[in-house]
Amino acid sequence: MPLTFEELQQQLRPAWGALDVGTSDGLDPEGCDLLVVPSLSLDQNQIDLVAGAHHYEERQLFSLISLRHPAVQAVYLTSKLLPDLVVDAVLELLPGVPASHARRRLQLFDTDDASPRPLTQKLLERPALLQRIRERLRPGRSFMTCFNVTPLEKELSVRLQVPLLGTDPGLGRWGSKAGSRELFRRCGVPHPAGSALVHDLDALSEATAALWEAHPDLERVVVKLNEGFSGEGNAPLELGPLQLAERSGGERRRLLRQVLEVLPMPPPQWQQLLVEQGALVEAWLQGGEALSSPSVQGTIHPGGQVEMLSTHEQILGGPNGQTYQGCRFPADTAYREALLRHGRAVGEALAQEGALERFAVDFIARRFAEQWDVQAIEVNLRKGGTTHPFMALRYATNGRIDPVSGVFHSPTGQELCYVATDNLCDARLRGLLPIDLIDIVAVAGLHFDPAELRGSLFHLLGCLSQYGKLGMTCIGHDAAEASRLYDATAERLMQGAQALRRHPHPGTR
């Protein structure tokens, strides 16, 4: 009789959770088998917003840090077969283990399907492939890790009879906008004023009017789809020009409904999503002498132990300034301790609900004179844009973070920082092959140097030639050096791409 999802999750061991964040504490001599399913399992409308979506499956290659333990084997699944250069570039960063030794313990499988659909959906359509994958995994000694967990991943876990290190999608409400606000209230974590979840325009206009009436100094609010991703389900709404104070309650609601009906929400069919998943309205935090968007990331190990992993300054952009573009590590010292404290409180509440593995909390920080006001705005119950850069840092340096200060140190005690992005995108990069990129960066001396513990690491190389887009993590000994490396690498890539159109080899320029 096949085991249920819940029965499979009971097989998870605390040491496997430690392995997924780069340590092998408590792992027994027989080791384990790691199955990586880096599926971008999102609403199809959200996937359609991501150029080269299936190439984002490369981001979890840094999970292969677990292969530095010689008793660990790994199976990595993708939509299309990964080029050797992409895989080898990651394995060669493993400290203390020859890349060839790690490569023998790694098995790659692909669906040979580049369509813009979740990888997990493609896998479930291929029972023969699933059987071959299952034959590579040791029963009772295997676990599965994903970018995010949906009913698709839950079904895959049961079909393969492999426990999934991740939160049951039945608990997904805690990663929604409304669930996040409930967690913040429960934990006493400061957060902006906002409304309950609503499912139609009339109720949304009522919620917006009521929020303004309770806070008549509000100049702007933000409307959030309950399951929006990476800022794509958020839209700001300017209240100042509407002169709400000069209108009656009924007039306010009618005017707000008219404005909301044409709200430029990133998902064009957002009113349908409003009905399906709901939305809420929240005060837009502004003012102060400085403003930033920090986040904190943690993990919940099997057994419920909460470990705080990292803090970041998020780099936001896009039409509404709400879309994640990249990050800086670590977050500002002025409020880093508050981020870690609030993150731990949320993590412990999530652990009580039965959540597992990665979670992150996004904040808005505002400075008034010498004081910072830090307020939480949402919880993410999945890996995210700050996950793989931090794994790259762990992978490449073999260092550790101080759980109190949030500072990352190499084994020799050197403090390390980075700037990272998934969205270095420029038309000049189109047509550039991954091997060309490596040539350009190596000639410029900007590639990561394991002896110096500084330089640039790359991911999303599959997007490079077609979309002129890639990701990179630039590591330095302080924040200023990391920023200089980022700027220098980006500039050198643009120059090198143009030069390659005139010369066949970087060394001939």
Side-chain angles (χ1 to χ4, degrees):
M1 176 82 60
L3 298 178
T4 65
F5 181 78
E6 293 74 17
E7 290 170 335
L8 287 166
Q9 282 204 309
Q10 291 173 13
Q11 296 180 355
L12 292 168
R13 307 178 191 182
W16 296 350
L19 192 69
D20 195 49
V21 295
T23 64
S24 55
D25 300 341
L27 190 65
D28 63 59
E30 293 188 35
C32 64
D33 296 349
L34 170 65
L35 173 63
V36 185
V37 186
S39 178
L40 207 65
S41 295
L42 306 170
D43 178 86
Q44 189 62 51
N45 295 300
Q46 293 171 328
I47 293 177
D48 291 342
L49 295 171
V50 181
H54 81 270
H55 293 297
Y56 278 67
E57 296 161 10
E58 296 175 23
R59 297 192 303 179
Q60 254 182 276
L61 278 169
F62 293 111
S63 297
L64 301 181
I65 189 174
S66 59
L67 287 172
R68 69 181 182 177
H69 192 292
V72 172
Q73 302 179 78
V75 175
Y76 199 95
L77 311 181
T78 50
S79 292
K80 296 289 288 186
L81 186 64
L82 293 174
D84 287 340
L85 185 149
V86 171
V87 178
D88 292 344
V90 173
L91 295 182
E92 287 167 2
L93 295 172
L94 274 175
V97 178
S100 58
H101 189 281
R103 188 65 180 84
R104 285 196 298 271
R105 291 179 282 116
L106 170 64
Q107 179 72 47
L108 304 176
F109 288 97
D110 70 281
T111 64
D112 195 25
D113 181 347
S115 63
R117 298 181 298 141
L119 167 63
T120 311
Q121 182 179 345
K122 301 170 190 175
L123 290 166
L124 291 169
E125 295 168 354
R126 293 163 169 82
L129 175 59
L130 293 186
Q131 181 58 33
R132 290 196 292 274
I133 294 168
R134 188 172 179 179
E135 289 170 355
R136 296 287 305 187
L137 301 168
R138 290 177 289 176
R141 288 201 165 272
S142 302
F143 73 98
M144 172 176 151
T145 181
C146 305
F147 171 74
N148 64 323
V149 184
T150 72
L152 290 173
E153 285 70 38
K154 186 172 181 177
E155 181 181 350
L156 182 62
S157 170
V158 174
R159 291 267 293 273
L160 291 173
Q161 287 291 280
V162 174
L164 195 162
L165 183 60
T167 297
D168 187 324
L171 299 174
R173 65 179 295 263
W174 299 115
S176 69
K177 303 300 186 290
S180 297
R181 293 181 59 82
E182 185 176 337
L183 279 175
F184 300 150
R185 285 193 295 271
R186 182 194 302 184
C187 300
V189 173
H191 58 285
S195 75
L197 196 65
V198 298
H199 290 270
D200 60 67
L201 282 175
D202 287 334
L204 188 59
S205 60
E206 171 62 35
T208 306
L211 181 61
W212 180 86
E213 288 163 358
H215 305 275
D217 57 335
L218 278 179
E219 292 290 323
R220 176 190 272 191
V221 295
V222 57
V223 177
K224 296 183 173 183
L225 288 170
N226 197 38
E227 298 172 17
F229 170 74
S230 191
E232 294 294 350
N234 297 351
L237 173 60
E238 300 290 345
L239 299 182
L242 302 182
Q243 300 178 320
L244 297 180
E246 302 176 9
R247 305 177 188 277
S248 68
E251 289 173 337
R252 285 185 204 123
R253 284 152 178 79
R254 286 191 291 273
L255 176 60
L256 285 168
R257 193 190 190 287
Q258 293 171 7
V259 174
L260 287 165
E261 196 165 11
V262 293
L263 188 70
M265 179 73 77
Q269 71 301 337
W270 82 272
Q271 290 188 39
Q272 176 185 338
L273 296 174
L274 168 65
V275 174
E276 294 173 358
Q277 61 181 248
L280 54 81
V281 60
E282 193 172 86
W284 182 282
L285 297 178
Q286 53 191 23
E289 300 163 35
L291 182 72
S292 62
S293 300
S295 68
V296 63
Q297 184 177 189
T299 193
I300 304 168
H301 295 294
Q305 179 189 357
V306 176
E307 180 182 359
M308 302 312 299
L309 297 177
S310 60
T311 62
H312 290 86
E313 297 291 345
Q314 298 185 95
I315 302 169
L316 304 180
N320 297 319
Q322 291 279 289
T323 303
Y324 177 83
Q325 301 289 320
C327 61
R328 297 182 179 90
F329 168 87
D332 195 297
T333 55
Y335 44 73
R336 193 186 304 154
E337 184 275 335
L339 299 181
L340 291 165
R341 184 177 70 254
H342 294 325
R344 181 170 292 279
V346 170
E348 290 173 350
L350 287 168
Q352 291 175 0
E353 294 292 336
L356 276 173
E357 221 253 344
R358 291 296 200 289
F359 70 93
V361 186
D362 294 341
F363 294 83
I364 295 292
R366 299 177 296 169
R367 181 166 61 83
F368 297 92
E370 300 303 316
Q371 299 295 317
W372 281 90
D373 172 62
V374 178
Q375 299 199 39
I377 54 173
E378 68 181 59
V379 174
N380 293 306
L381 274 181
R382 53 172 170 78
K383 293 178 172 65
T386 61
T387 303
H388 51 281
F390 185 73
M391 292 184 77
L393 179 68
R394 285 281 292 117
Y395 203 123
T397 68
N398 204 26
R400 287 179 179 266
I401 195 166
D402 183 315
V404 176
S405 68
V407 174
F408 188 93
H409 293 105
S410 74
T412 61
Q414 173 67 59
E415 180 177 346
L416 298 174
C417 305
Y418 61 74
V419 179
T421 184
D422 285 339
N423 290 281
L424 183 62
C425 190
D426 192 287
R428 288 171 289 179
L429 297 176
R430 289 180 185 156
L432 199 67
L433 298 176
I435 193 168
D436 299 327
L437 178 145
I438 300 300
D439 286 344
I440 292 168
V441 176
V443 167
L446 293 168
H447 202 276
F448 180 76
D449 185 336
E452 295 291 331
L453 295 178
R454 58 163 60 89
S456 299
L457 300 168
F458 300 94
H459 60 279
L460 291 182
L461 294 181
C463 285
L464 183 59
S465 183
Q466 182 177 355
Y467 299 100
K469 173 180 176 179
L470 78 156
M472 66 181 186
T473 301
C474 301
I475 300 171
H477 293 175
D478 55 41
E481 183 179 45
S483 292
R484 287 195 300 271
L485 278 166
Y486 182 94
D487 293 340
T489 304
E491 181 180 3
R492 192 71 183 98
L493 284 173
M494 303 308 166
Q495 294 173 348
Q498 290 179 311
L500 274 176
R501 291 183 170 86
R502 301 189 299 271
H503 301 283
H505 301 293
T508 63
R509 288 195 291 273

